[in-house]
Amino acid sequence: MTPPARLTSYRSRLIVQKPTNPRGLKAPCPMNTAHRPLWHAITTAEVRSALHAPDEGLSDAEADGRLRQYGPNVIPRGKPLAAWRVFARQFQSPLIYILGVAAIVSMVIGHSTDAGFIAAVVLVNALVGGYQEFRAERSAQALQQLLRIRAIVIRNGEARELDADLLVPGDLIRLESGNRVPADVRLLTEHGLEVDESLLTGESVAVDKDANAVLPQTTVVADRRNMAFAGSMVARGRAGAIVVETGSRTQIGELARDVLSAPAGKPPLILRLERFTRLVGVSVLVAAAGIAVLGVAVQHYGWGEMFMFAVALAVSAIPEGLPIAITVALAVGATRMARRGVIVRKLGAVEGLGSCTLIASDKTGTLTCNELTARELSLADGERLEVTGQGFAPAGSILRNGGVVERGESASLDALCMAAVLCNEADLYLRDGQWRWRGDPTDVALLSMAHKLGWRRELTLDKHPQCNEIPFEPEIRFAATFNKLDVGTGVFVKGAPERVLPMCDLDPPARSTFAERAEEMAARGFRVLGIASGAAPDGLSTDSAPPEPTGLTFLGFVGMIDPLRSGAAEAVEVCGRAGISVSMVTGDHPTTALAVARELGLADSLAQVVTGDALAGSDPDSFREKVGRSRVFARVAPGQKLSIVAALERRGHLVAVTGDGANDAPALRAANIGVAMGRSGTDVAREASDLVISDDNFATIVAGVEEGRIAYDNIRKVIFLLICTGAAEVILIALAVATGSPLPLLPAQLLWLNLVTNGIQDVALAFEPGEADVLLRRPRPPRERIFNSVMVRNCLFSAAVMGLMGFAAYKWMLNAGWTEASSRNGLLLLMVLFENVLIGNCRCEIGAALGLSPLRSPLLLLGAVSAFLVHVAAMHFPIGQQLLKTEPVGGPVWIAFGAMAVCLFALVELHKWAWRISTERSASKCSV
């Protein structure tokens, strides 16, 4: 069916209608897909009949009725969390639950001070974490830059400019180069239409469209050339179309709905903390019960007295300061990441990149620029030239054997560049210091290539004005322009090699040789374009369609490719050194994927590239085997990306998925860590992600890996400090019970150690800079616990030394005639000094802490000094003396306790040194 004349003459009667927001409209709801026609598999007449779309377009009344029926044409999105919900989410942690129980028990037995301490910690933790997550969410929303999409729609026989939210099924719309497709549409007419669908399908090259095609029902989305989909971009040409699906019923809308309804993967830190919290909870209960039974059965304490001992034990064992310290460490990591271009949407994901063992990356727009670039020229005389630079900006040059070729040095090269700029419909210009472009990506790439040799389209056209043309059409696969020359008229042609070569005056052997050269370039992943020129036929009319050119002079081939982003190859190499595998998962053609994979060092042959078709025909075991041995996946559908991620996770990997398109969103959502691109990424992808890369550079992910590992290291250091102190306190209490001694520290004093003096220091420890080898280590095993063998060994030794030395000092004070209160006061001071020096040991888990200058981390030094001064103040001011039962001590006590603290530091360092020596000897024996 031919479209109404209004579709081709809308400019003369354009009516701009301001967007409205009708009351009572509901968000789009899913349609019963079982009764929906397969729009690509029926004729345009059947489409219009099914949608009751007249030639003059829908009436306003009919459009309003359909808007109420189908809802606004908007993509489903998750509701932004209110500030109070973000705050409430901070309490959803097993460790917080344990602290809550401890606070309730303390309140029930009358220890309101202890309960108040714990409640204050929980509240501060929620405030810090809630503020950081809310701020990160606001930053992510700011990146979305929600620009309203406008559409030219035929209503009541007139062309109007409407907000795309108001489109309904059955609307007739107009598409032109540069338009974003506002809904899923069936094409009615088209003229040279090419659509960039990379954000939906992953295809890096614009897709040729054919309005007259009627396709099989089983045709996949990427091959439905008679349709255009919401979110895609018209790269070239123009079309008339009819809206067939809107909102959540579009391809991108269905993806968004599936993403929002799918369960999100858990970051590795959350998984480890859950296991760690369960361990702490069980250990506290077992230890408290065991010591209570021991006290009653062996030492004949009363049950009431032992209950107080058990409460003190629980208070000492539970690391009350851990939630806020972890939250601060993650917030510090999030801030550092933001400075390096990684915006954290969920705090738990901060260390996720550092933990991941495999990054499954999209190709188009993530590893590559998503800007077609001329990379190689093969001239007719056999010479091959390299074109440097990447993307549409004409930064770079044309090289011959490594040397720059200038304009005028090669007549054949100048002829090819002249033809490339004349047979071209794009624009490339510099404005406000930035390169800007408009038009088909292939044409822009040709202009950029020619610009590097000094050819400018506008200047060349001024000298050789165009008098006729044969526009590019998918059916003819070439384009030609006719331009005035100094003498006569010339014709300049570009197109597929198999169309351009027959137009040239070549003998069969030469034509065969050139065809083989084009095939060889295509096999290396290039999109190959033939360029030719010649004299126009005599009597060429400017008013009628010119004939197909013949007798041309072949000028050469231009090999184009979507190039790697700057630093992408280096980033993949760094990931390899860090023990992180990188896989490429794309919807693009296998040959194109292989060309990129070669540059990244991921694959060398097509045999190493697994296609979506190969995966689709695999049984579960074969699927897992193919995923396990492959690093490059091509022609992969969105559902298959999800399956690949799931298979990798089942193989034991912690998977980070990167991507920018709507087709990446399901995998982003399901992965342990989803990383979306901030600039070019779709709203759907960002909504599904945990992290957002603000500069769209894969290399920035390496910075995220580094900061994530630093954050995790600092969390481990904090845990080590808190667990050591808590374990030492448990040893103190256990020894007191075993020897029949009075309770060495009161619950309030234990909380003071755990929350105030240690709390100041552990927060400062969260700001510790990274160690030098952070990117040279292999990732932690996915199932490795936070409390691994290294931390267990260090904690047991350090806690034992602290506990034994502390108990020895306590017994000495009691035996020396000190009162119980004075002995507790002295022991409390000694434990504070132990904490002051232990923080130095914590700075390096395995290496020597003596080699680290205190000035390397000024905040840590300030934290240690502040914790010390706070306790000194508590010893001298009435409020501290009343709450903590403290008092000042004399100079000899200070000297003795200071010497004991220095001994602790030395013993812990000697222990680490002995372990390093033992490990090195074991490694040398294994190597022999």
Side-chain angles (χ1 to χ4, degrees):
M1 178 180 292
T2 58
R6 302 176 188 85
L7 286 176
T8 58
S9 60
Y10 71 91
R11 293 181 184 274
S12 60
R13 294 186 293 164
L14 184 62
I15 298 174
V16 179
Q17 178 173 315
K18 294 182 179 179
T20 60
N21 186 17
R23 295 182 179 180
L25 292 183
K26 298 180 180 180
C29 56
M31 188 180 184
N32 185 356
T33 56
H35 300 292
R36 241 194 298 176
L38 294 173
W39 304 110
H40 62 279
I42 58 179
T43 66
T44 56
E46 291 172 323
V47 171
R48 296 183 69 157
S49 175
L51 294 171
H52 307 289
D55 289 350
E56 65 274 9
L58 301 178
S59 66
D60 289 336
E62 176 64 21
D64 288 343
R66 296 189 186 191
L67 191 59
R68 283 189 291 272
Q69 177 184 356
Y70 296 110
N73 177 34
V74 294
I75 296 173
R77 300 183 58 193
K79 293 182 179 179
L81 286 178
W84 70 270
R85 288 187 179 274
V86 176
F87 175 74
R89 192 164 64 186
Q90 308 309 308
F91 295 94
Q92 298 173 2
S93 165
L95 195 56
I96 298 296
Y97 303 153
I98 291 178
L99 292 181
V101 171
I104 292 172
V105 170
S106 299
M107 182 66 71
V108 168
I109 65 176
H111 288 245
S112 57
T113 301
D114 302 343
F117 265 122
I118 297 174
V121 167
V122 172
L123 180 62
V124 171
N125 172 75
L127 288 172
V128 173
Y131 169 74
Q132 182 64 32
E133 284 200 15
F134 185 72
R135 190 177 68 172
E137 188 65 24
R138 292 285 296 272
S139 298
Q141 290 174 7
L143 270 178
Q144 293 179 2
Q145 301 175 345
L146 296 177
L147 301 176
R148 287 189 177 274
I149 299 176
R150 308 286 286 175
I152 303 301
V153 187
I154 308 301
R155 294 267 179 92
N156 293 324
E158 296 177 320
R160 307 178 182 181
E161 185 176 348
L162 296 182
D163 189 276
D165 292 2
L166 303 178
L167 291 182
V168 297
D171 265 327
L172 302 178
I173 69 168
R174 179 74 177 179
L175 298 172
E176 287 189 335
S177 176
N179 291 162
R180 189 169 292 280
V181 180
D184 284 2
V185 300
R186 176 69 150 84
L187 301 174
L188 300 176
T189 63
E190 50 81 23
H191 182 75
L193 185 68
E194 295 182 6
V195 180
D196 179 359
E197 297 178 345
S198 59
L199 291 180
L200 184 65
T201 66
E203 181 74 59
S204 60
V205 178
V207 181
D208 296 331
K209 295 296 182 178
D210 181 3
N212 297 320
V214 178
L215 305 171
Q217 294 185 0
T218 56
T219 305
V220 297
V221 171
D223 294 332
R224 294 178 187 174
R225 63 183 188 276
N226 57 3
M227 295 191 68
F229 300 101
S232 57
M233 181 74 74
V234 178
R236 179 176 184 169
R238 50 194 177 273
I242 182 171
V243 174
V244 294
E245 303 292 357
T246 58
S248 63
R249 296 174 300 278
T250 61
Q251 290 292 327
I252 194 172
E254 289 179 351
L255 274 174
R257 191 175 65 241
D258 292 343
V259 166
L260 292 176
S261 62
K266 287 188 177 181
L269 177 63
I270 301 302
L271 297 173
R272 289 187 170 101
L273 282 177
E274 288 178 353
R275 291 196 297 263
F276 175 71
T277 304
R278 287 194 293 269
L279 174 64
V280 170
V282 172
S283 300
V284 167
L285 292 175
V286 171
I291 289 182
V293 171
L294 176 67
V296 173
V298 178
Q299 297 297 340
H300 307 293
Y301 285 104
W303 280 108
E305 191 176 7
M306 279 316 304
F307 183 75
M308 286 300 301
F309 267 95
V311 170
L313 176 69
V315 169
S316 64
I318 295 174
E320 293 91 348
L322 186 57
I324 188 170
I326 289 177
T327 300
V328 170
L330 294 177
V332 171
T335 301
R336 289 174 174 174
M337 282 186 167
R339 290 174 186 158
R340 302 182 72 172
V342 182
I343 293 177
V344 179
R345 298 184 67 236
K346 299 173 185 175
L347 276 186
V350 165
E351 63 82 45
L353 279 180
S355 297
C356 74
T357 60
L358 186 144
I359 300 175
S361 176
D362 180 39
K363 177 185 73 68
T364 306
T366 306
L367 291 167
T368 66
C369 298
N370 198 19
E371 294 177 6
L372 205 60
T373 303
R375 180 63 61 82
E376 182 176 307
L377 304 178
S378 179
L379 302 181
D381 57 12
E383 185 176 25
R384 296 204 179 200
L385 304 174
E386 177 188 358
V387 185
T388 64
Q390 63 178 17
F392 292 149
S397 54
I398 298 177
L399 304 181
R400 176 193 289 125
N401 299 324
V404 177
V405 181
E406 302 290 347
R407 180 172 175 175
E409 290 185 15
S410 171
S412 57
L413 178 59
D414 282 326
L416 183 143
C417 289
M418 178 177 172
V421 299
L422 289 176
C423 187
N424 202 299
E425 296 181 359
D427 292 309
L428 179 65
Y429 51 92
L430 189 66
R431 177 184 293 172
D432 300 328
Q434 297 287 330
W435 284 100
R436 306 177 188 276
W437 47 83
R438 182 194 62 80
D440 177 74
T442 301
D443 282 351
V444 178
L446 289 175
L447 291 184
S448 178
M449 177 269 296
H451 198 288
K452 295 169 185 177
L453 195 68
W455 286 88
R456 311 288 189 274
R457 181 170 184 264
E458 58 277 8
L459 298 178
T460 309
L461 275 176
D462 288 342
K463 187 176 181 180
H464 306 294
Q466 182 175 310
C467 56
N468 210 331
E469 67 171 333
I470 302 177
F472 180 87
E473 299 283 357
E475 294 81 6
I476 62 174
R477 303 178 66 196
F478 78 92
T481 61
F482 298 82
N483 299 75
K484 296 291 185 182
L485 303 178
D486 296 337
V487 178
T489 301
V491 57
F492 302 92
V493 177
K494 70 170 184 288
E498 59 270 26
R499 291 292 286 119
V500 173
L501 288 175
M503 301 179 190
C504 299
D505 188 10
L506 298 169
D507 56 45
R511 187 171 300 166
S512 177
T513 299
F514 286 132
E516 291 174 1
R517 192 184 303 174
E519 291 174 1
E520 181 270 332
M521 293 177 69
R524 288 189 285 124
F526 288 114
R527 184 184 184 188
V528 184
L529 206 63
I531 307 290
S533 66
D538 294 335
L540 178 69
S541 171
T542 60
D543 299 325
S544 58
E548 181 174 304
T550 57
L552 303 178
T553 299
F554 179 66
L555 300 176
F557 295 122
V558 179
M560 301 181 181
I561 198 168
D562 181 13
L564 290 181
R565 285 188 176 275
S566 176
E570 292 79 2
V572 171
E573 185 179 348
V574 171
C575 286
R577 290 199 297 268
I580 301 172
S581 300
V582 178
S583 294
M584 184 171 70
V585 187
T586 178
D588 214 338
H589 193 278
T591 303
T592 306
L594 176 61
V596 174
R598 279 198 181 109
E599 294 190 69
L600 293 171
L602 299 180
D604 297 316
S605 67
L606 274 176
Q608 296 173 288
V609 179
V610 175
T611 65
D613 287 343
L615 292 175
S618 303
D619 58 62
D621 292 337
S622 177
F623 187 98
R624 286 192 294 271
E625 187 272 331
K626 289 176 182 177
V627 169
R629 64 175 169 79
S630 304
R631 299 182 67 186
V632 183
F633 303 88
R635 279 290 188 240
V636 172
Q640 289 177 319
K641 286 190 178 184
L642 196 60
S643 299
I644 290 171
V645 171
L648 290 169
E649 290 177 344
R650 283 195 296 270
R651 292 180 67 89
H653 282 291
L654 287 174
V655 183
V657 172
T658 74
D660 62 348
N663 57 320
D664 301 315
L668 288 170
R669 176 84 171 182
N672 298 112
I673 299 293
V675 185
M677 301 296 111
R679 288 183 181 175
S680 63
T682 58
D683 294 344
V684 178
R686 284 191 290 265
E687 193 77 23
S689 67
D690 303 295
L691 306 173
V692 178
I693 304 299
S694 62
D695 61 0
D696 286 13
N697 196 337
F698 182 83
T700 303
I701 295 174
V702 176
V705 169
E706 182 179 7
E707 294 298 342
R709 290 187 175 186
I710 292 172
Y712 186 73
D713 284 352
N714 289 346
I715 288 172
R716 284 179 59 84
K717 293 170 185 176
V718 167
I719 291 175
F720 173 70
L721 176 66
L722 294 177
I723 295 298
C724 272
T725 305
E729 294 162 0
V730 170
I731 292 173
L732 278 172
I733 295 172
L735 288 173
V737 172
T739 59
S741 303
L743 187 65
L745 291 170
L746 300 174
Q749 292 172 330
L750 290 168
L751 283 171
W752 175 261
L753 285 174
N754 291 355
L755 299 181
V756 181
T757 56
N758 234 11
I760 295 173
Q761 295 187 128
D762 59 37
V763 168
L765 195 59
F767 290 84
E768 181 75 3
E771 298 176 32
D773 66 341
V774 70
L775 280 179
L776 298 178
R777 313 174 196 156
R778 296 192 63 79
R780 299 175 299 282
R783 295 191 176 276
E784 180 184 272
R785 299 178 181 273
I786 291 180
F787 213 66
N788 63 359
S789 59
V790 175
M791 186 178 288
V792 168
R793 184 188 63 250
N794 289 342
C795 278
L796 287 177
F797 181 83
S798 303
V801 172
M802 289 175 65
L804 291 172
M805 290 177 68
F807 185 72
Y810 178 61
K811 290 295 288 184
W812 175 84
M813 287 182 282
L814 288 174
N815 294 335
W818 293 29
T819 65
E820 288 185 16
S822 295
S823 299
R824 289 184 182 121
N825 173 66
L827 179 58
L828 183 61
L829 172 61
L830 178 60
M831 295 299 291
V832 170
L833 293 175
F834 281 164
E835 291 176 350
N836 284 156
V837 298
L838 186 62
I839 196 174
N841 300 118
C842 292
R843 298 182 69 191
C844 200
E845 187 174 34
I846 297 174
L850 286 172
L852 300 176
S853 168
L855 299 179
R856 180 172 178 263
S857 183
L859 279 175
L860 189 60
L861 180 61
L862 178 63
V865 173
S866 299
F868 173 76
L869 293 178
V870 164
H871 186 71
V872 171
M875 294 169 63
H876 288 82
F877 288 96
I879 186 171
Q881 294 172 346
Q882 181 179 358
L883 288 175
L884 301 173
K885 307 297 186 285
T886 56
E887 59 188 16
V889 297
V893 175
W894 278 106
I895 294 173
F897 286 176
M900 293 180 72
V902 172
C903 287
L904 171 67
F905 181 85
L907 288 172
V908 173
E909 287 303 301
L910 281 173
H911 168 73
K912 290 195 292 184
W913 173 80
W915 185 83
R916 289 197 304 272
I917 295 298
S918 174
T919 303
E920 290 172 2
R921 287 176 179 172
S922 299
S924 62
K925 289 179 181 178
C926 291
S927 62
V928 173

